[in-house]
Amino acid sequence: MVPFRAELDKAHVALAFLIVVLIGSAAGGRLLGILLAGGAFVAFNWLFLPPYGTLVIANPLDWLVLLAFGVTSVVAAQLLARAQREADDARRRAAEVTHLATLGAETLSAGRADEGLRAVADVIRSTLGIAACEIYVRHEGDSPWAPITSDTGAPNAPRTRANVDWVADRRLPAAERADGTTRTLSAWPSGEPVPPLEISDAVSLLVPLSVQERTVGVLVLANDRPLAFDAAQRRFLSALAYYAALGAERVRLVAEAERAEALREADRLKDAVLASVSHDLRTPLTTIRALAEEIRTEGDERAAIIEEESLRLNRFVADLLDLSRLNAGALSLHSEVNAIDDLLGALGERVAGIAGGRDVRISLDAPDAILAGRFDLVQSLRILVNLVENALKYAPADTPIEVVARRDGEVVRISVMDRGPGIPASEREQIFTAFYRPAYSIPDASSAGLGLAIARRLAEAQGGQLDYAVREGGGSVFTLSVPAASL
Ligand code: ADP
């Protein structure tokens, strides 16, 4: 423009320079824009403001032109740079959102829960550009946490193991340095972007993963160079950690469901075997008993032993059959309103036959009203007879056994109390499990550990319960509770 400067208006010159400044900032960013603005300011003055070839300004009004040009070009460069930065940010965020959406869909649509988790680990590794990403989930074995994503690229996996347990226990993030030292980091609220790392030379980062205040896993990021994340990466990491937590929770739920299903199947099989075996044993046992009776009448005394033993076996088989019916919910009970007096009367009669002269005191603790409950008379009697039999069996022969019935709010409690050895705390719930006999029990061919299991299930089947308590002064108290009723 210099050859034509005599004809050129100052506005033409200023606009031409402005175009250069704008193109420069658009292409090369803010710094280039501002440098160009400065250069243009000087060139404008030197070449186009008289006297030419000097920085002197003859016409004071030209100062105004120059100043207006300078301010306009700097502000334009700044604005353009900011607009560009915001556009970049928006583009990056849009990409992040798309990325996360894809990842969410992948995690949810993965056929197996651990595949979903592996996908999350892969995305974390590739997005953050690190060497390895592992997600540890709860594991049944020597180590409570095991990596679901085994990545051979992990540069310091062996050392990490111990730290994983630590991070999961304390629920605090930690960082490891290349020299082997570890540092705890302060926790950040879940959902918030991960804050800048507090140490600059961390080569691995361990982040606890929790869902609803429960630790479900640990995310381990490892690198061969020190880890450094920019703001966008930290934001992304926080979102991904949340996906990882959901993925880990899903893995846990699936494992739990599989275990429950296997247990249910085993239980069903056991019940089926129990039912069929006990049923098939009854017929031959009846035949054996009939034959033994016949032989005994012919004078062979040994037949009495066969008869006695087959009777015992028959009782055992009957118990087994009842247990399988109770398990299958196939034993029908007739709960109706009964007087407790009737139940205790029947118990007294039965006990007279089995007590063998021992002191069994049966009493009713109901001063005014008639005590009544809603229960199955036959099965409740069976429970109480079983409890008294146990007391007779386990308590010393010279101690009395007491049976007391009383009302307690909405239930009637019938307690069988003895002065036997009692039951150690560790065994108190186990004794109600079928086939369970404590290790210290004397081997007894006539006990299979079914009595209390059947008794408790019978109690529950009629809306009651059967519990154990330590008796004051030594001994046991087994209490049958049934719903109270009025006659
Ligand atoms: P069983 O008597 O056939 O072994 P039970 O289910 O009736 O089976 O009882 C389970 C276990 O509970 C017994 O082996 C015994 O160790 C313990 N037990 C039951 N009743 C008493 C009691 N009154 N005092 C001490 N221990 C008892």
Coordinates of all heavy atoms in Angstrom, one line a residue, residues 386 390-391 393-394 418 421-423 431 436-438 440-441 447-453 476 478, ligand 1:
N386 N -40.7 -83.7 72.5 CA -39.3 -83.7 72.1 C -38.4 -82.9 73.0 O -37.4 -83.4 73.4 CB -39.3 -83.2 70.7 CG -38.0 -83.4 70.0 OD1 -37.0 -82.9 70.5 ND2 -38.0 -84.1 68.9
N390 N -35.4 -84.4 75.4 CA -34.1 -83.9 75.3 C -33.6 -83.6 76.8 O -32.5 -83.9 77.1 CB -34.0 -82.6 74.5 CG -33.7 -83.0 73.0 OD1 -33.5 -84.1 72.7 ND2 -33.8 -82.0 72.2
A391 N -34.5 -82.9 77.5 CA -34.1 -82.5 78.9 C -33.8 -83.7 79.7 O -32.8 -83.8 80.5 CB -35.2 -81.7 79.5
K393 N -32.8 -86.5 78.6 CA -31.6 -87.1 78.1 C -30.3 -86.4 78.5 O -29.3 -87.0 78.9 CB -31.6 -87.1 76.5 CG -30.6 -87.9 75.9 CD -31.0 -88.4 74.5 CE -31.4 -87.4 73.5 NZ -31.6 -87.8 72.1
Y394 N -30.4 -85.0 78.5 CA -29.1 -84.2 78.7 C -28.9 -83.7 80.1 O -27.8 -83.3 80.5 CB -29.0 -83.1 77.7 CG -29.0 -83.6 76.3 CD1 -30.0 -83.5 75.4 CD2 -27.8 -84.2 75.8 CE1 -30.0 -83.9 74.1 CE2 -27.7 -84.7 74.5 CZ -28.8 -84.6 73.7 OH -28.7 -85.1 72.4
D418 N -34.4 -77.1 82.2 CA -33.6 -78.2 82.9 C -32.4 -77.6 83.5 O -32.1 -76.4 83.4 CB -33.3 -79.3 81.9 CG -32.3 -78.9 80.8 OD1 -31.3 -78.2 81.1 OD2 -32.5 -79.2 79.6
P421 N -26.3 -79.3 81.1 CA -25.0 -78.5 80.9 C -25.3 -77.2 80.1 O -24.3 -76.4 80.0 CB -24.2 -79.5 80.1 CG -25.2 -80.4 79.4 CD -26.4 -80.5 80.3
G422 N -26.5 -77.0 79.6 CA -26.7 -75.8 78.8 C -26.0 -76.0 77.4 O -25.4 -77.0 77.1
I423 N -26.1 -75.0 76.5 CA -25.5 -75.1 75.2 C -24.6 -73.9 75.0 O -25.0 -72.8 75.2 CB -26.7 -75.1 74.1 CG1 -27.4 -76.5 74.3 CG2 -26.1 -75.0 72.7 CD1 -28.7 -76.5 73.6
I431 N -27.9 -75.9 66.7 CA -28.6 -77.1 67.1 C -30.0 -77.2 66.4 O -30.6 -78.2 66.5 CB -28.8 -77.1 68.6 CG1 -29.4 -75.8 69.1 CG2 -27.5 -77.4 69.3 CD1 -29.9 -75.9 70.6
Y436 N -27.6 -81.7 62.7 CA -26.5 -81.1 63.4 C -26.4 -81.6 64.8 O -27.4 -81.5 65.6 CB -26.5 -79.6 63.4 CG -25.3 -79.0 64.1 CD1 -24.1 -78.8 63.3 CD2 -25.3 -78.7 65.4 CE1 -23.0 -78.3 64.0 CE2 -24.2 -78.2 66.0 CZ -23.0 -78.0 65.3 OH -21.9 -77.5 65.9
R437 N -25.3 -82.2 65.2 CA -25.1 -82.5 66.7 C -23.8 -81.9 67.0 O -22.8 -82.1 66.3 CB -25.1 -84.1 66.9 CG -26.3 -84.7 66.4 CD -26.4 -86.2 67.0 NE -26.7 -86.1 68.4 CZ -26.1 -86.9 69.3 NH1 -25.2 -87.7 68.9 NH2 -26.4 -86.8 70.6
P438 N -23.7 -81.2 68.1 CA -22.4 -80.6 68.5 C -21.3 -81.7 68.6 O -21.6 -82.8 68.9 CB -22.7 -80.0 69.9 CG -24.1 -79.8 69.9 CD -24.7 -80.9 69.1
Y440 N -19.2 -82.2 70.7 CA -19.0 -82.8 72.1 C -20.0 -83.8 72.5 O -19.9 -84.5 73.5 CB -18.9 -81.6 73.1 CG -20.1 -80.8 73.2 CD1 -21.3 -81.3 73.8 CD2 -20.2 -79.5 72.6 CE1 -22.4 -80.5 73.9 CE2 -21.3 -78.8 72.7 CZ -22.4 -79.2 73.3 OH -23.6 -78.5 73.3
S441 N -21.1 -83.9 71.7 CA -22.2 -84.8 72.0 C -21.7 -86.2 72.1 O -20.9 -86.6 71.2 CB -23.4 -84.7 71.0 OG -23.9 -83.4 70.9
S447 N -29.9 -90.8 68.1 CA -30.1 -89.4 67.8 C -29.4 -89.1 66.5 O -28.3 -89.4 66.3 CB -29.3 -88.6 68.9 OG -29.9 -88.9 70.2
A448 N -30.2 -88.4 65.7 CA -29.7 -88.0 64.4 C -29.6 -86.5 64.2 O -29.2 -86.0 63.2 CB -30.5 -88.6 63.3
G449 N -29.9 -85.8 65.3 CA -29.9 -84.3 65.2 C -31.0 -83.8 64.4 O -30.9 -82.7 63.8
L450 N -32.2 -84.5 64.4 CA -33.3 -84.0 63.7 C -34.4 -83.4 64.6 O -35.2 -82.5 64.1 CB -34.0 -85.1 62.9 CG -33.3 -85.6 61.7 CD1 -34.0 -86.8 61.0 CD2 -33.2 -84.5 60.6
G451 N -34.4 -83.8 65.8 CA -35.5 -83.4 66.8 C -35.7 -81.9 66.8 O -36.9 -81.4 66.5
L452 N -34.7 -81.1 67.1 CA -34.9 -79.6 67.2 C -35.2 -79.0 65.9 O -36.0 -78.0 65.8 CB -33.7 -79.0 67.9 CG -33.5 -79.3 69.4 CD1 -32.3 -78.6 69.9 CD2 -34.7 -78.8 70.2
A453 N -34.6 -79.5 64.8 CA -34.8 -78.9 63.5 C -36.3 -79.0 63.1 O -37.0 -78.1 62.7 CB -34.0 -79.6 62.4
S476 N -30.7 -75.2 80.6 CA -31.3 -74.7 79.3 C -32.8 -74.3 79.5 O -33.5 -74.9 80.3 CB -31.2 -75.7 78.2 OG -29.9 -76.2 78.2
F478 N -35.8 -74.0 76.7 CA -36.4 -74.0 75.3 C -37.8 -73.5 75.4 O -38.6 -74.1 76.2 CB -36.3 -75.5 74.8 CG -34.9 -75.9 74.3 CD1 -34.1 -76.5 75.2 CD2 -34.5 -75.6 73.1 CE1 -32.8 -76.9 74.8 CE2 -33.2 -76.0 72.7 CZ -32.4 -76.6 73.6
Ligands
ADP1 P1 -30.6 -85.1 69.1 O1 -31.0 -84.9 70.5 O2 -31.3 -86.2 68.4 O3 -29.1 -85.1 68.9 P2 -31.8 -82.6 68.7 O4 -32.0 -81.8 67.4 O5 -32.9 -82.9 69.6 O6 -31.0 -83.9 68.2 O7 -30.7 -81.8 69.5 C1 -29.5 -81.3 68.9 C2 -28.4 -81.1 69.9 O8 -28.8 -80.1 70.8 C3 -28.2 -82.3 70.8 O9 -27.2 -83.2 70.2 C4 -27.6 -81.7 72.1 O10 -26.2 -81.6 72.0 C5 -28.2 -80.4 72.1 N1 -29.4 -80.3 73.1 C6 -30.7 -80.4 72.8 N2 -31.4 -80.3 74.0 C7 -30.5 -80.0 75.0 C8 -30.7 -79.8 76.4 N3 -31.9 -79.8 77.0 N4 -29.5 -79.6 77.1 C9 -28.3 -79.6 76.5 N5 -28.1 -79.8 75.2 C10 -29.2 -80.1 74.4

